[in-house]
Amino acid sequence: MARGKLRIYLGAAPGVGKTYAMLSEAHRRVERGTDVVVAFVEHHGRPRTEVMLHGLEQIQRRELEYRGTVFTEMDVDAVLERAPAVALVDELAHTNVPGSRHGKRWQDIEELLEAGIDVISTVNIQHLESLGDVVESITGVRQRETVPDEIVRRADQIELVDMSPQAIRRRMAHGNIYQPDKVDAALSNYFRPGNLTALRELALLWVADRVDEYLQEYRAEHSIRSTWQARERIVVGLTGGPEGRTLIRRAARMAAKGSGSEVLAVYIARSDGLTSASPKELAVQRTLVEDLGGTFHHVIGDDIPSALLDFARGVNATQIVLGSSRRKAWQYIFGPGVGATVARESGPDLDVHIVTHDEVAKGRGLPVARGARLGRTRIIAGWLVGVVGPVLLSLLLTGIGNGPGLANDVLLFLFLTVVAALLGGQLPALASAAAGSLLLNFYFTPPTHTLTVSDPKNIVAIVIFFAVAVSVASVVDLAARRTHQAARLRAESEILSFLAGSVLRGETTLDALLERVRETFGMETVALLERAGDVEPWTCAGRAGSDHGTPLLRPEDADVDMPVGDHMALALTGRVLPAEDRRVLAAFAAQAAVVLDRQRLVGEAERARALAEGNRIRTALLAAVSHDLRTPLAGIKASVTSLRSDDVAWSPEDEAELLAGIEAGADRLDHLVGNLLDMSRLQTGTVTPLIRETDLDEVVPMALGGVPEDSVTLDIPEELPIVAVDPGLLERAVANLVENAVKYSPDGAMVLVSASALGDRVELRIADRGPGVPDSAKDRIFEPFQRYGDAPRGAGVGLGLAVARGFAEAMGGTLAAEDTPGGGMTMVLTLRAVPGGPQVTPDLPAQATT
């Protein structure tokens, strides 16, 4: 079933006339004969809008109780059961009452569209997700009900309902929008001239961008070549903080200004896994960017500015959107910050936008420790404390006179060793222990200023000091290495769990997975290579990135290769990965092999399904040939044999009866073979209708030649419009439908063939009084080789209705089955009327059309 079409009336503010325009369009369609129902329209007590509902069929709403109050919502099941051609559904961004099938009304509309129902809806510009921040800054009101921009952009038609701010305020003052007791408050708040002007500009700009997209589609369809600006790709740098939502919406608005622009949100995590980002906030931001039509990326990198720039250049981005720093003024002692660094190093090919937000300068906490990967500053500080610190301490203690005593001197030197271990790791601590031991021996153990020690107790003190210092340094270093390993394992587990979840949900194709590998490890090219045997050449099953020079043909040509089994390998170029990264790469390689196998299995399943369908048809054809085609042949053979027999003298009456039997069998055989050939033509796509203007009363009587004269009643009005059909195909389709109706009609019951005009189409109805068909089987009877119920063998091969529907669709019409009132089944053949012919339109109440 074809998906329905969505038409949206877009307005800048409440009261511009969206619902009124929608109802006016509904009346125009009803006048043209279209089946239109009101699924949900809220008139809000506006008398002119309420009048427009007169004359339109309304679906009863569903009542839901929530917190002691009864609410009404659109009854989706009732609309689907009614199955109109067009449904009116007001307020696209509406949030349904808890207990409804879907949380949002646009999700209800999606279900109607999937069922083949056209939908007309309304929405205001302030309800678009990407404009939430802008509308709040203009009006001071945060819109709680929003709809993803992509839902509105996918609409087949978007019509702007425009009205000047002055006209809206006049309508408000006249009481045509809100009740009189709310007018003054509305005019002085939301409906101020400045607010309405800004909202109107937003609506005009948004629709103008949509027009650009339509124009681009038109140029592509008509192969019009011209110079276009480069496609905008906007990268949004996320930190996991609350400002990310503002950045994403700002980038979405920037992308909306250029047709075909793309938004890529990227979160860069450190390789040690230590981060202050909120996983819940990142999940919310990922959902937001996907709702706005963008993509979310997770990249590993220790140097955040470099990783961000590498990612932006890797995706050929043109703009980078970053938020103003959340650090307080004193925190800039740790560096200039990501925004300033990216802006300085971006170069002329990237524009960097720094966006302000509510979290600016509110602080982001102290820098997070990086485990064993110490920065240069900390290592230098550790060596200074470990080497220079003991010297300075010795000078200080020797200048005090008698000093605090050897025991306290040892503790002070031990303190410096511990500080050196905490700052610089094991080597500075060992150097501090060695320097402290020598200085203690030289300056503080008698005899001083020599390296000899006279008192054995002092020797023990120095040895214990050195042993404790070395032990402390070893423990600190071991703890740092364990912390680093735990952090790295945590980072690996996060990456692998994200990867496994994507693969299990079926969200990752092979190309997308390889692109994820390239982004994660910062490589230039990633390719999955395979070969059939040990001596067979390598072939590329999938790749991501760009080949700078010679493409990858063998794993040996790559900077990194990861075997996957005996005849498959994941090859990467760009840099050599450390050994610790290969464990994660091995998991990616295994997942790539699984995804490749799954894609191939899906393809094989599709081919198997096609073969099974072909086998089913061939089996049915053999069954038809073995019985239904042989039956008339047997009758013809018997009659011919009887006529040629010399043993019997046939009377003229007997000969005429035998000849009539031969003729009937030949006609039946011709009909069966004709249906088989027609079905073959339809399945191979070789039916080419020759459409021309035709009167139904010229074709339908000719199609009744294969049924008894007293079995059909014709009701074809002379004033019917001319239809655009292929007369030959139409005659064959009608003949099959009439023969099927006569076959299942009881004795003495007439088949009624009638026609009527409805707007721009003509309906031909073939109604019988047979047993009928339940709703669950109405679609199945149109499949090839299907005979419903206990149809006797010899009643046909089950191709008549399938051929009739195929011919109807080839001519641009439709064929459907309905119940005949009072019992039986009616086949409804809908055909296109020729424009300009006589039209039959239903009458509408006068108050609905004024």
Side-chain angles (χ1 to χ4, degrees), residues 591-805:
Q591 291 286 15
V594 171
V595 171
L596 179 61
D597 289 342
R598 185 174 62 188
Q599 288 184 353
R600 289 175 174 173
L601 288 175
V602 169
E604 291 177 2
E606 292 294 332
R607 290 190 292 271
R609 189 178 295 109
L611 291 175
E613 179 66 17
N615 288 333
R616 186 185 69 82
I617 293 178
R618 281 192 292 271
T619 301
L621 178 60
L622 289 175
V625 171
S626 65
H627 188 282
D628 294 294
L629 295 183
R630 292 181 63 184
T631 299
L633 285 176
I636 293 174
K637 176 66 176 177
S639 298
V640 171
T641 302
S642 299
L643 288 174
R644 295 188 62 187
S645 175
D646 297 332
D647 299 336
V648 180
W650 301 103
S651 65
E653 292 80 5
D654 292 334
E655 290 183 355
E657 183 177 354
L658 291 173
L659 291 173
I662 293 173
E663 183 179 13
D667 290 341
R668 181 178 173 187
L669 186 62
D670 178 70
H671 179 73
L672 293 175
V673 172
N675 276 338
L676 287 172
L677 294 177
D678 290 338
M679 197 69 235
S680 175
R681 292 167 57 202
L682 287 171
Q683 290 187 339
T684 57
T686 58
V687 175
T688 305
L690 301 176
I691 304 298
R692 65 182 181 86
E693 299 180 2
T694 306
D695 282 329
L696 282 182
D697 54 7
E698 296 178 359
V699 178
V700 174
M702 298 175 60
L704 307 182
V707 297
E709 296 181 359
D710 58 348
S711 61
V712 178
T713 300
L714 278 180
D715 182 14
I716 309 295
E718 296 182 356
E719 65 273 11
L720 276 180
I722 296 175
V723 293
V725 296
D726 182 320
L729 297 184
L730 178 60
E731 180 183 348
R732 190 60 180 269
V734 174
N736 285 353
L737 296 175
V738 172
E739 289 177 8
N740 183 79
V742 171
K743 182 191 307 180
Y744 289 97
S745 291
D747 295 336
M750 302 285 287
V751 172
L752 175 62
V753 179
S754 61
S756 59
L758 292 174
D760 58 352
R761 66 183 188 273
V762 173
E763 287 187 352
L764 183 66
R765 293 176 171 266
I766 299 93
D768 63 58
R769 292 295 181 180
V773 175
D775 293 340
S776 59
K778 280 187 170 63
D779 286 334
R780 192 169 68 249
I781 61 176
F782 292 102
E783 298 178 2
F785 304 105
Q786 294 292 323
R787 289 181 296 186
Y788 176 71
D790 56 351
R793 301 296 299 178
V797 296
L799 285 177
L801 296 182
V803 170
R805 171 172 275 189

Side-chain angles (χ1 to χ4, degrees), residues 275-338:
T275 176
S276 59
S278 167
K280 181 178 180 181
E281 182 64 28
L282 281 177
V284 172
Q285 293 174 14
R286 175 173 184 161
T287 302
L288 176 60
V289 71
E290 291 176 350
D291 286 344
L292 295 176
T295 56
F296 183 89
H297 304 265
H298 191 150
V299 177
I300 304 298
D302 287 321
D303 189 343
I304 304 298
S306 298
L308 180 59
L309 289 171
D310 290 343
F311 174 83
R313 294 190 175 102
V315 298
N316 196 28
T318 58
Q319 301 180 61
I320 297 178
V321 175
L322 299 173
S324 298
S325 178
R326 288 184 285 134
R327 296 190 297 177
K328 295 182 179 296
W330 64 268
Q331 291 177 317
Y332 281 94
I333 62 175
F334 299 106
V338 174

Side-chain angles (χ1 to χ4, degrees), residues 394-711:
S394 299
L395 295 176
L396 177 64
L397 293 176
T398 55
I400 295 179
N402 292 330
L406 180 61
N408 292 326
D409 294 338
V410 171
L411 291 177
L412 291 173
F413 276 96
L414 182 60
F415 172 75
L416 289 178
T417 302
V418 173
V419 173
L422 293 174
L423 289 176
Q426 188 175 31
L427 291 180
L430 294 176
S432 177
S437 300
L438 293 174
L439 292 172
L440 281 172
N441 185 8
F442 189 82
Y443 286 105
F444 304 105
T445 57
T448 58
H449 303 291
T450 65
L451 294 179
T452 60
V453 181
S454 59
D455 190 348
K457 295 181 180 179
N458 294 336
I459 297 177
V460 173
I462 294 175
V463 171
I464 293 176
F465 162 75
F466 185 81
V468 171
V470 172
S471 300
V472 169
S474 300
V475 170
V476 171
D477 181 71
L478 180 61
R481 285 190 284 112
R482 292 290 184 265
T483 302
H484 171 66
Q485 291 173 359
R488 182 165 187 85
L489 289 175
R490 175 186 171 186
E492 291 178 1
S493 65
E494 289 180 354
I495 295 173
L496 294 179
S497 63
F498 175 79
L499 170 67
S502 299
V503 173
L504 292 176
R505 291 191 300 270
E507 299 174 354
T508 303
T509 62
L510 180 60
D511 291 340
L513 179 61
L514 296 179
E515 179 63 24
R516 179 74 64 182
V517 174
R518 190 188 69 81
E519 292 177 356
T520 301
F521 295 100
M523 307 302 284
E524 294 179 356
T525 306
V526 178
L528 184 63
L529 305 178
E530 63 176 349
R531 59 180 177 180
D534 294 336
V535 296
E536 298 295 328
W538 290 93
T539 59
C540 182
R543 62 180 301 280
S546 58
D547 290 323
H548 299 287
T550 306
L552 280 175
L553 299 177
R554 301 179 305 167
E556 295 81 4
D557 300 332
D559 296 321
V560 180
D561 69 283
M562 177 59 63
V564 187
D566 295 332
H567 303 110
M568 187 177 293
L570 189 64
L572 303 87
T573 61
R575 64 187 177 94
V576 178
L577 290 180
E580 56 194 15
D581 287 340
R582 294 182 65 87
R583 182 169 59 252
V584 179
L585 183 61
F588 272 103
Q591 291 286 15
V594 171
V595 171
L596 179 61
D597 289 342
R598 185 174 62 188
Q599 288 184 353
R600 289 175 174 173
L601 288 175
V602 169
E604 291 177 2
E606 292 294 332
R607 290 190 292 271
R609 189 178 295 109
L611 291 175
E613 179 66 17
N615 288 333
R616 186 185 69 82
I617 293 178
R618 281 192 292 271
T619 301
L621 178 60
L622 289 175
V625 171
S626 65
H627 188 282
D628 294 294
L629 295 183
R630 292 181 63 184
T631 299
L633 285 176
I636 293 174
K637 176 66 176 177
S639 298
V640 171
T641 302
S642 299
L643 288 174
R644 295 188 62 187
S645 175
D646 297 332
D647 299 336
V648 180
W650 301 103
S651 65
E653 292 80 5
D654 292 334
E655 290 183 355
E657 183 177 354
L658 291 173
L659 291 173
I662 293 173
E663 183 179 13
D667 290 341
R668 181 178 173 187
L669 186 62
D670 178 70
H671 179 73
L672 293 175
V673 172
N675 276 338
L676 287 172
L677 294 177
D678 290 338
M679 197 69 235
S680 175
R681 292 167 57 202
L682 287 171
Q683 290 187 339
T684 57
T686 58
V687 175
T688 305
L690 301 176
I691 304 298
R692 65 182 181 86
E693 299 180 2
T694 306
D695 282 329
L696 282 182
D697 54 7
E698 296 178 359
V699 178
V700 174
M702 298 175 60
L704 307 182
V707 297
E709 296 181 359
D710 58 348
S711 61

